[in-house]
Amino acid sequence: MGKINRLDEHLSNMIAAGEVVERPMGIVKELVENCMDAHAKNIEIQILQGGIDTITIIDDGDGMDAQDATLAFERHATSKLKEVNDLWNIHTMGFRGEALPSIASVSHVLLRTNNGIDATEVEINYGKLLSAKPCGTPKGTMIEVKNLFQKTPARFKHLKSPQYEFSLISDVVQKFALSHPEIGFCLSHDGRTIFKTRENGSLLEVLMQIYGRDTAKTAIELNGKDLDYHITGYVMQPQFNRATKYYMLLYINGRMIRNYHLQKAVMDAYANYLPKDRYPIVVINMEMDAQLVDVNVHPSKWEIRLSKEKQLEKLVYETIHQALKEQLQVPEIKKADIIKEKVEIQELQFSYDREKPVKELHDDINDSFVHPENNPVPMIEEPPVTKEEKDKKTSIQYPQSSYPKGVRETFVKEAEKLTKTNIKQDTQQHPIIEKKEVEELQNIEEVKVTQPPIEEDKIAIEAIKEPSKEVIKEFTPVNPSLPQLQVIGQFHNCYIIAQGEKGLYIIDQHAAQERYHYEVIGKQILDGVTDTQPLLLPITIDCPMSAITKVDAINALMESIGIHLEVFGNQTFIVRELPIWMKDTKEEDFIRDMIDYFEQDSDISIEKLRKHAIATMACHSSIRFHRSLTMEEMKQVIVDLGKCEQPFHCPHGRPTLICMSDDDLFKQFERG
C-alpha cells in the first residue's frame, strides 16, 4: 500500500489557513479586500478583544445571491478568475479563492448578504455548514468571525494580547485608507470608534488624520511617469522621520506590497536629507499594466515580482529626488502652548465670633487682596515746591559727551520731542499734574544751533534716524526656498542666530559650512578637476591582507576621485600623489576611511564612494563646533549657504538650520 494519502477538504483548508490566516490582522486584510472587490464605498470594521473574540465587517458593496453565498466558502471558488490567462492580468485584490474557506475552518462564521434581489444568511462552524437561509439585511455584506482558533490550541497559544493584536489591525486598516481614500473606513474596538475617514478621495486628509496636521501640511506631492509606470502619492519633509522603515508605504495598482529594492530606491533619494538610522514617511502608489506585475507569489499577497524592476526603481528615485530638491522647507520649532494656571488667592476665614468693627476691618483686608482693582493706591501728597526747585526740574540737563557737535544737538532735539510726548501722555493718565506746570514744561525753548553740522555729523544723523537699516551686502540665495537672513550673533560658539522673514533662525555653523564645501568639492570632481600634486614624502597606509588582494578593484573606484594606491609589502599601501582639492584634509585618515568603506561594502558603486569621499572631506575642512566666530565670518557662512543648491541639510542628513516662527514666539511671550 502506498504512503501518500489524499487530504480531505477540511484539512486542506486548515493548512491554507496557516498561510492566509496567521492572526486576526490577516482575517481583516482578506475580508476588507473582498469588500473592495465588491465596489464598496463604505466599510465598517468592528473588533472585540483584539479580534480574538469577534471580527465584524460590514460593507455597502454589490452583495451576493443565495447560490454564491454558499459557494464562496468552498475552496478555490472565486468570481475574479475565469480562465488561465486571467491569472496574468489581475485587477482585483483577491483571486485565489482561499480566504473564506480558510477563515471558516478555524472559526465560527456568520454571513449575511444582499445583492438587491436576494438576501441570504449562511452560518458555518469550524468548517461545517450549519445553515443557509433567507434573511432580512441591507444591501451589501456583513460577515462575523467569532472564537478564532478556539479549536486549534497550537495556533491559539501564539496569539498575543488583545491590545497588540488590535494594533496590527489598526495599522493595516490605516494602510487601506491611504491606498483608497475614495472609500470611507470606520474602525472600532470594544464599542469605541478609533479611526474614521470620509469617502471624499482626499489622500491629504487621511495623511493628516494619521500623521498629524504639521506633517500633512508640508507634504510634497509626487507625480512622475514614463512609458510603463505612473507614480503618485506624497512624501514628507525630512524633519518628519521615524526610527523604522515601516512608514514607507508602497502600493502597486492600489495593492499594498513589500519590496526591498523599491524601499532602497526611496532611501537613496532621501540619503542627503536624513541622519543615519532614520527613515522617511512616504505614501507612494505605482500604477502600471497588470501584466508587468506577478502577485501570485505568496498566499498573503504581500510579495510580488516585477517586470522592468530596475526601470521602476530609477523612476521612483528620480521622482522623489526632484520633488525634495524643489520643495524642501526649513524645519520649524514647534512649542506647546503655555497653559495658564489660575492662581486663586485664599481668603482669611475665622471660625470664632468677632465684633462688628473687627469683622468689617477683616472683610476690607480680604477684599483688598482678592480684588485689588477696587482699592486703588492713594496718591501721596508731596510738600509744596518752590519756584527755584521747579525751574531746576524743568531745565533739562544734558551730559557732556564725545559726540560731534552736530550729533549732540540732534540728540538734544530728539530728547525734547520725546519729553513733550511723554508729558502729554502722563497728563492724560495722571490728571493730578498741575496745568501750569505742564504749560511751563511745554514752553521750553529749543536749543539754538550756533554752528551748522559738518558732513560727518550728517552721516551720523542719518544712521541715527534709521538704525534698523544695517548696511549689509545683498545676496540672493540660489535655492529660492532659503530665506534672506540677517546675522544677529553666535550662541555657545556653536550656532549662528539670524533673523528672517518668518522668524528667528538658528544655523548649525559646522553643518552649514559642511554643506557648502560638499557642493564645491563635488562640483570640482564632477567637472573633471583631478589635478594632482606629487608628495615630497609618500604616504604609507597599513591595511589588512584582504584589502591588498583587492587593490585593482579599489583603484578602479579611487582613481575616479584622483587617488591611486600602490602595493608596498604584504600589508601596506603607498600613495605618491594626491588631488589638489585634498589640501585641507588629513590625507592619511581620509584614504584609510575610504579603504575601510570599500571593505565594508565591496559592491559599492563609484557614485556612493565618491559621495562618501566628498562628505568626509567636507566635514574635515569645515568650521568646528565650539569655535568663536567674528561677525564677518558668520555673515560669510550665511552667504556660502545661500550658494548651495540644497542648503537645508548637511551631507550626512542633519539639518543646517531651523526656524522658530513669529507666531510661536508671540505665543511663548503671551502676545498672540
Side-chain angles (χ1 to χ4, degrees), residues 214 218 236-242 270 273-274 278 328-332 649 655 658:
D214 292 335
T218 59
M236 308 304 133
Q237 296 284 342
Q239 64 263 31
F240 302 106
N241 53 68
R242 295 293 187 268
Y270 269 93
Y273 310 101
L274 288 177
R278 301 299 295 181
L328 272 184
Q329 296 182 5
V330 178
E332 290 189 8
H649 298 83
I658 57 177

Side-chain angles (χ1 to χ4, degrees), residues 8-237:
D8 60 34
E9 185 176 355
H10 179 63
L11 185 55
S12 298
N13 289 338
M14 292 189 67
I15 292 172
E19 299 174 332
V20 179
V21 190
E22 187 178 357
R23 55 188 346 121
M25 181 268 288
I27 292 179
V28 172
K29 179 178 180 294
E30 294 293 337
L31 296 181
V32 169
E33 286 180 346
N34 285 343
C35 298
M36 292 178 179
D37 290 338
H39 309 106
K41 293 297 181 184
N42 291 279
I43 303 174
E44 183 177 354
I45 304 106
Q46 302 172 1
I47 306 297
L48 294 179
Q49 290 296 306
I52 301 172
D53 184 282
T54 306
I55 298 172
T56 304
I57 297 182
I58 306 168
D59 71 63
D60 58 356
D62 298 337
M64 295 179 285
D65 60 20
Q67 182 180 358
D68 287 344
T70 55
L71 186 61
F73 288 95
E74 295 187 12
R75 198 172 185 209
H76 299 311
T78 179
S79 62
K80 292 132 192 185
L81 297 179
K82 291 186 170 35
E83 56 178 322
V84 174
N85 291 333
D86 292 342
L87 188 61
W88 314 112
N89 193 22
I90 296 174
H91 295 274
T92 56
M93 296 292 107
F95 58 90
R96 299 172 64 91
E98 288 185 330
L100 284 178
S102 300
I103 294 168
S105 66
V106 292
S107 63
H108 183 277
V109 176
L110 178 66
L111 170 74
R112 293 194 182 101
T113 184
N114 182 350
N115 66 348
I117 301 174
D118 293 335
T120 309
E121 177 183 286
V122 177
E123 187 174 6
I124 298 178
N125 187 42
Y126 296 97
K128 183 179 180 182
L129 178 64
L130 298 182
S131 64
K133 58 186 179 182
C135 71
T137 187
K139 188 175 185 301
T141 301
M142 186 281 294
I143 184 166
E144 181 184 78
V145 179
K146 301 186 69 173
N147 303 326
L148 181 64
F149 298 140
Q150 291 292 325
K151 292 189 177 181
T152 52
R155 181 61 58 85
F156 183 79
K157 69 181 181 181
H158 290 292
L159 295 178
K160 297 188 178 180
S161 66
Q163 291 76 16
Y164 178 80
E165 296 296 340
F166 178 75
S167 69
L168 298 180
I169 294 173
S170 175
D171 180 65
V172 77
V173 171
Q174 289 179 358
K175 289 178 179 177
F176 276 125
L178 289 168
S179 64
H180 292 82
E182 74 282 0
I183 299 176
F185 290 87
C186 181
L187 172 65
S188 63
H189 188 218
D190 294 338
R192 185 165 61 94
T193 300
I194 304 298
F195 177 72
K196 188 173 184 178
T197 65
R198 299 184 298 170
E199 68 279 13
N200 60 358
S202 174
L203 177 56
L204 210 56
E205 182 178 315
V206 182
L207 283 171
M208 185 182 70
Q209 285 190 251
I210 297 175
Y211 298 117
R213 178 184 177 84
D214 292 335
T215 306
K217 186 172 64 174
T218 59
I220 302 172
E221 187 174 6
L222 297 180
N223 189 7
K225 62 171 61 177
D226 60 12
L227 294 176
D228 297 305
Y229 301 106
H230 183 204
I231 295 176
T232 57
Y234 287 91
V235 295
M236 308 304 133
Q237 296 284 342

